[in-house]
Amino acid sequence: MEAISRKHFLIQMGLMSTATLLFSGCNFIGDDGEPLKRVQLQPAKKGEDIFAYLQRNQGKIDTDLYRKIIGAANAFKEGDLTLGLAAADDASRATARELLGNTKIASIDKHLIFQDALYDLVRETTATAPPELESFSILDLKTFILEQAEAEVKRIMPALSSDVIGCVVKLMSNDELILVGQKVFNPLAGSQIGSKGYLSARVQPNSPTDNTDDIIWQVFDAWSYAVGDLVLGTNPVSSDPVSVAKIEAALYDILTTFELEETLSNCVLSHIDVQAKVEAKHPGTTGIWFQSLAGTVAANKTFDVSLEKMREYTKQRNERYGLYAETGQGADFTNGHGSGFDMVLHESRKYGFVRALQEQLKAQNQEGAQPWVHVNDVAGFIGPEVFKTKEQLVRCCLEDTVMGKLHGLTIGLDICSTLHMDVSLEDLSWCIEQVMPANPAYLMALPTKNDPMLSYLTTSFADHVRIREKFGYKINDAMWEFFKKLEVIDAEGKPTAHFGDPKWVYYKFKQAKGDTRSKAEVYQEAENTLKEIRDRGVAIAEGFGENVWDLDPALEAEVKKLYEDAKESLWTPMDASFAASIAQALLIKTRSEDRKDYVYHPESGEELSFDATRKLKELRQDWNQIPDVQIIISDGLNARALMDDGHLLPFLNTLKDQLHNEGYTTSAKNLVITHGRVRAGYACGEHLFGADNFAGNKAIVHIIGERPGSGHHNFSAYLTAAPAASWSKKRWVDHDISRVVSGISDTALQPEEAAKQTVAILKTLLAKDVKELEAMKSA
């Protein structure tokens, strides 16, 4: 890459991104302190099922081994290995699948691998089994699903529990999963979305700064390529209801201006509590309501979600647009809630939860049209701790597509990867082509493969055009007619001269608003706005390459440069001289052996080394008075975010000045961690604040390099405050009581401004009492 300044590089590329919260693994170590091992199984006897095998080898129904057999039947993924549930070898995997195939559906439903209130709800909303299912084994069920027509499969689907659905996909090859995907469809009411031969798109118009121009112009951009017929769904940076309402209003205005509010929905993917607040203040503007969901009660607490909360909100969703859920394999265990069972069953239980909410909606609306419910499986977002390779990404997407369909859901995919996975831009295109024959309901859609906020790779508008051309997929008929009316495609559905021209869509938008200016005047205004957007670093695609499904060559080259920068950032270590140069630095390390160990085994970056704990003990002994705040600095996944000029130093200086102005004291030493994850900061807080009996709360501000992928080299500040009694409990302090200021750099959220925001949030956290913190954890 040319030796140009990063700021100039960003402006030249027109690409910008800021990382969301980094997903961090938890410490997966056995009760004896030894790392968990792979599952080694002895050969099964002919016809033996899981429970006969357990009785023969253990003399009882051993729950731990039961879970391991179920997990060992999975296709290999790193997440199951971390959980100690992956098969030791192909022979053990074959044995696990043989045992599972021989096991009766009724036995799986009788012997639960894990029970909580969420799965009680799933069972309550699973229909009574027809007579033939009572004698079916899991292998019999697989055969039935593969051989019978869709109507027959859909007849028994309501009687299949989530665990049974999760088990049957384990026995299917990729080709068999594709066959099921091509057979079973659950379209949204009054549309072709989710129908056979249709592939819809969620436009994902993310902005690193929640700038509404960034957002609405990505919508115009999508529509110029005839892409975007399901939902206009943006991930917000801020969860402030005022900010969310502003974005919702901007998206809703586009829909109403073009008279599309009954054709597709808008959505700001903030917490459902925030969406409800916005809807209460601005009725009718929020569109479909979104929420990330997990597979257990405990895991849902990470998202500040309970069964009761979701059921109450479901009661309010009786119009056309109901609920939009987001899930993904590995999210549960990486948030510390693996509960001893594998990722496939966790994912299946999430779909069972969504199905239960969908059934509630059906019961509420027996006489009217069914509100839309759809689920988006975000496969690949977390990183290599879940799975590393392109083959595993394809497997995950196919499993989840089929599990969603067998639950009677309209399921789409985010076929995506992070920059620290072993999946390149070319690999991701290959993955998309491998998954598409299974006909998921929809995919994400962005101007390029790079998300300008979340620092990950996903599907571009050009990918949608290519997929439709190659596989013959259509989009929702009503929206296709709109694109003809918009004149980006002609009467035969072929691209016109306006195809790939977002300025044209803006011109049509202004005409619909009653603007009588000439095309030239509107285009000039559009050019000025696009320059501002690109100068902020947000990509807007225009035109195409040799084919209409090719990205413009110059923009494609810029995306590749961005990818190369991300890889360089990921593997660049924190320079020892830089670490030592930080004022009053106390240098410590985690248990990661090196950068590779840290990237591929996140749990190693959460545990402090023995030398680190010794140094923290000495620091604590040196304190004459316990400070209010301990500042911690970690390299994270992008050490360059800290080392770049104009990043860490202005943030630190402003942070300390602001804290002192507010009357807070800070530790004389700044902890500087090599190979540090977010939870390494909590561990520091435990050592420093957990052995005393002080009044009120003590806090940490953990400054950490974000996931690379933007070219910005952003860092975040994680803010956590708790009383001594809470710091003294190992792992009590966690993400659920923390807040984050993200996207900090000299080309995104300015460090000085970020420091002021940090102190403002920290003040509220320091003022919380124990009851408020308990409420945050149990919400």
Side-chain angles (χ1 to χ4, degrees):
M1 197 185 302
E2 295 178 7
I4 60 175
S5 73
R6 182 171 44 78
K7 187 179 291 188
H8 179 65
F9 170 58
L10 287 167
I11 293 173
Q12 289 277 4
M13 288 196 308
L15 291 169
M16 178 182 189
S17 153
T18 194
T20 190
L21 281 170
L22 297 177
F23 284 92
S24 298
C26 56
N27 181 30
F28 300 107
I29 295 177
D31 294 337
D32 58 359
E34 292 297 317
L36 293 167
K37 297 179 175 62
R38 296 192 185 214
V39 180
Q40 184 82 50
L41 297 175
Q42 298 301 315
K45 291 187 175 181
K46 186 176 181 180
E48 194 170 37
D49 71 0
I50 292 176
F51 302 102
Y53 181 92
L54 291 173
Q55 288 288 358
R56 178 167 65 84
N57 287 279
Q58 302 292 102
K60 61 178 182 179
I61 307 300
D62 183 281
T63 301
D64 181 60
L65 184 54
Y66 177 32
R67 291 171 173 172
K68 287 180 177 177
I69 293 171
I70 295 285
N74 286 343
F76 175 77
K77 302 187 191 83
E78 273 72 21
D80 288 333
L81 175 61
T82 304
L83 285 164
L85 300 172
D89 48 42
D90 289 342
S92 292
R93 183 174 293 105
T95 296
R97 288 176 174 174
E98 180 183 357
L99 292 169
L100 179 59
N102 291 334
T103 302
K104 300 291 186 184
I105 290 174
S107 297
I108 295 293
D109 285 334
K110 178 180 178 182
H111 299 281
L112 296 183
I113 60 163
F114 180 82
Q115 185 171 8
D116 65 359
L118 187 153
Y119 204 62
D120 289 341
L121 175 63
V122 171
R123 296 172 82 186
E124 289 168 10
T125 50
T126 301
T128 302
E132 65 263 40
L133 281 186
E134 295 180 6
S135 62
F136 270 23
S137 67
I138 299 297
L139 183 58
D140 292 332
L141 177 62
K142 170 190 164 181
T143 302
F144 183 94
I145 292 171
L146 289 173
E147 293 183 353
Q148 295 297 315
E150 181 187 27
E152 278 298 290
V153 175
K154 296 187 82 167
R155 179 177 64 84
I156 68 165
M157 276 169 28
L160 300 179
S161 70
S162 296
D163 281 2
V164 167
I165 290 172
C167 284
V168 76
V169 301
K170 294 168 185 274
L171 302 186
M172 294 182 183
S173 67
N174 284 10
D175 287 343
E176 289 171 333
L177 291 169
I178 288 170
L179 287 174
V180 179
Q182 293 174 341
K183 177 186 298 188
V184 178
F185 296 92
N186 306 297
L188 296 176
S191 79
Q192 292 77 39
I193 298 169
S195 297
K196 185 177 181 65
Y198 282 78
L199 181 74
S200 292
R202 166 197 157 187
V203 180
Q204 186 167 299
N206 291 346
S207 166
T209 56
D210 284 344
N211 186 292
T212 52
D213 278 345
D214 297 350
I215 292 165
I216 64 176
W217 270 92
Q218 289 180 76
V219 175
F220 298 152
D221 200 14
W223 286 354
S224 76
Y225 292 94
V227 172
D229 59 323
L230 171 72
V231 61
L232 309 179
T234 187
N235 299 85
V237 177
S238 171
S239 291
D240 177 63
V242 174
S243 177
V244 171
K246 183 179 179 182
I247 299 170
E248 292 276 24
L251 293 173
Y252 189 63
D253 180 56
I254 297 173
L255 295 177
T256 54
T257 298
F258 282 122
E259 300 181 343
L260 293 171
E261 61 270 29
E262 293 299 315
T263 302
L264 76 165
S265 178
N266 56 295
C267 182
V268 177
L269 281 71
S270 60
H271 193 280
I272 195 168
D273 289 345
V274 177
Q275 294 165 82
K277 289 178 182 177
V278 174
E279 178 66 21
K281 193 168 183 178
H282 307 281
T285 64
T286 57
I288 200 163
W289 282 9
F290 163 86
Q291 183 55 51
S292 293
L293 295 177
T296 66
V297 169
N300 274 300
K301 288 183 180 179
T302 306
F303 300 129
D304 190 13
V305 166
S306 66
L307 305 185
E308 294 74 20
K309 178 181 287 188
M310 290 306 301
R311 288 158 113 178
E312 284 301 313
Y313 281 135
T314 301
K315 290 179 182 178
Q316 302 176 36
R317 310 306 297 156
N318 295 311
E319 302 300 326
R320 182 172 181 82
Y321 304 117
L323 298 171
Y324 172 17
E326 189 167 272
T327 68
Q329 285 193 36
D332 305 78
F333 90 82
T334 56
N335 282 316
H337 297 289
S339 301
F341 64 101
D342 65 271
M343 298 191 300
V344 169
L345 288 195
H346 267 283
E347 186 70 9
S348 191
R349 287 180 173 215
K350 297 168 197 177
Y351 302 145
F353 188 10
V354 180
R355 181 174 69 180
L357 298 175
Q358 182 172 262
E359 289 302 307
Q360 180 181 331
L361 277 174
K362 287 180 180 178
Q364 292 171 197
N365 297 275
Q366 292 182 6
E367 297 181 2
Q370 290 300 310
W372 287 9
V373 175
H374 55 85
V375 60
N376 171 33
D377 168 48
V378 186
F381 182 73
I382 298 175
E385 57 266 46
V386 176
F387 48 80
K388 291 182 186 178
T389 68
K390 62 181 182 180
E391 291 81 9
Q392 292 180 50
L393 174 56
V394 168
R395 177 70 190 186
C396 179
C397 289
L398 293 176
E399 289 169 345
D400 296 351
T401 298
V402 170
M403 288 192 293
K405 289 190 174 195
L406 291 179
H407 275 90
L409 301 174
T410 305
I411 182 166
L413 297 175
D414 192 344
I415 306 176
C416 61
S417 68
T418 64
L419 277 300
H420 58 312
M421 288 172 63
D422 293 337
V423 178
S424 67
L425 287 164
E426 294 74 22
D427 289 339
L428 192 58
S429 294
W430 177 86
C431 290
I432 294 168
E433 304 248 340
Q434 301 305 303
V435 174
M436 279 305 95
N439 205 165
Y442 62 95
L443 299 177
M444 303 301 101
L446 293 87
T448 75
K449 275 186 166 68
N450 182 76
D451 187 288
M453 173 198 158
L454 297 175
S455 292
Y456 81 126
L457 304 176
T458 183
T459 41
S460 67
F461 304 152
D463 289 321
H464 278 267
V465 178
R466 185 185 76 254
I467 291 164
R468 294 195 310 231
E469 178 71 20
K470 180 169 183 176
F471 293 94
Y473 287 141
K474 298 183 286 186
I475 70 167
N476 193 29
D477 293 354
M479 202 65 189
W480 194 243
E481 291 304 311
F482 167 73
F483 289 140
K484 291 179 182 178
K485 182 179 178 182
L486 197 59
E487 299 176 62
V488 296
I489 54 173
D490 63 21
E492 284 71 44
K494 301 298 182 182
T496 69
H498 304 304
F499 190 81
D501 181 4
K503 295 188 292 293
W504 171 259
V505 180
Y506 178 67
Y507 173 57
K508 300 295 282 187
F509 175 74
K510 297 303 287 185
Q511 282 189 323
K513 286 283 192 183
D515 194 326
T516 58
R517 288 178 297 167
S518 69
K519 178 184 172 184
E521 290 176 300
V522 175
Y523 263 52
Q524 184 58 58
E525 180 182 79
E527 284 285 1
N528 296 337
T529 303
L530 284 173
K531 183 180 184 305
E532 293 172 0
I533 293 170
R534 287 174 172 137
D535 283 350
R536 285 194 295 271
V538 177
I540 299 293
E542 288 188 87
F544 42 85
E546 182 178 350
N547 303 297
V548 293
W549 55 84
D550 293 332
L551 200 63
D552 174 76
L555 185 56
E556 184 173 15
E558 291 166 0
V559 174
K560 288 181 178 178
K561 286 183 181 180
L562 190 68
Y563 178 82
E564 292 163 3
D565 178 78
K567 286 298 186 182
E568 183 179 348
S569 296
L570 178 66
W571 295 108
T572 298
M574 182 157 58
D575 187 84
S577 61
F578 169 81
S581 73
I582 297 172
Q584 297 298 314
L586 178 60
L587 308 181
I588 62 177
K589 295 181 178 181
T590 63
R591 294 187 182 180
S592 297
E593 295 179 3
D594 51 28
R595 190 74 181 162
K596 184 176 181 179
D597 185 35
Y598 171 73
V599 170
Y600 288 149
H601 304 103
E603 65 276 11
S604 68
E606 298 184 332
E607 293 291 321
L608 299 176
S609 67
F610 292 115
D611 183 63
T613 57
R614 177 186 61 79
K615 288 182 177 179
L616 290 174
K617 184 177 181 181
E618 292 174 353
L619 173 62
R620 175 62 194 88
Q621 291 172 345
D622 287 343
W623 283 347
N624 294 320
Q625 181 180 354
I626 302 172
D628 296 312
V629 180
Q630 174 65 61
I631 295 172
I632 305 168
I633 302 159
S634 292
D635 48 6
L637 290 174
N638 190 357
R640 296 167 77 190
L642 306 178
M643 297 190 293
D644 284 351
D645 291 339
H647 278 207
L648 180 62
L649 186 60
F651 180 84
L652 274 180
N653 289 342
T654 306
L655 176 66
K656 288 196 171 185
D657 288 345
Q658 291 285 315
L659 286 170
H660 293 161
N661 290 342
E662 293 290 342
Y664 297 117
T665 58
T666 57
S667 173
K669 293 288 186 180
N670 296 315
L671 300 181
V672 180
I673 307 177
T674 301
H675 303 150
R677 294 269 174 173
V678 177
R679 285 194 175 102
Y682 305 149
C684 291
E686 291 172 2
H687 285 287
L688 295 175
F689 299 134
D692 289 281
N693 215 0
F694 50 80
N697 295 336
K698 300 297 181 184
I700 61 170
V701 175
H702 191 177
I703 304 160
I704 186 166
E706 288 180 355
R707 175 186 288 177
S710 66
H712 283 291
H713 306 169
N714 289 327
F715 62 92
S716 297
Y718 286 80
L719 322 174
T720 314
S726 298
W727 283 116
S728 66
K729 301 174 186 175
K730 189 169 179 61
R731 292 194 178 274
W732 189 93
V733 173
D734 206 353
H735 303 327
D736 46 14
I737 65 165
S738 297
R739 296 295 179 263
V740 63
V741 178
S742 63
I744 308 168
S745 72
D746 61 339
T747 50
L749 177 59
Q750 294 295 306
E752 294 88 349
E753 176 60 29
K756 294 175 184 177
Q757 292 183 21
T758 297
V759 174
I761 296 170
L762 197 60
K763 282 177 65 178
T764 66
L765 296 178
L766 283 163
K768 289 185 181 296
D769 60 27
V770 176
K771 290 183 179 179
E772 289 177 297
L773 291 174
E774 291 282 0
M776 290 171 71
K777 292 192 74 68
S778 62

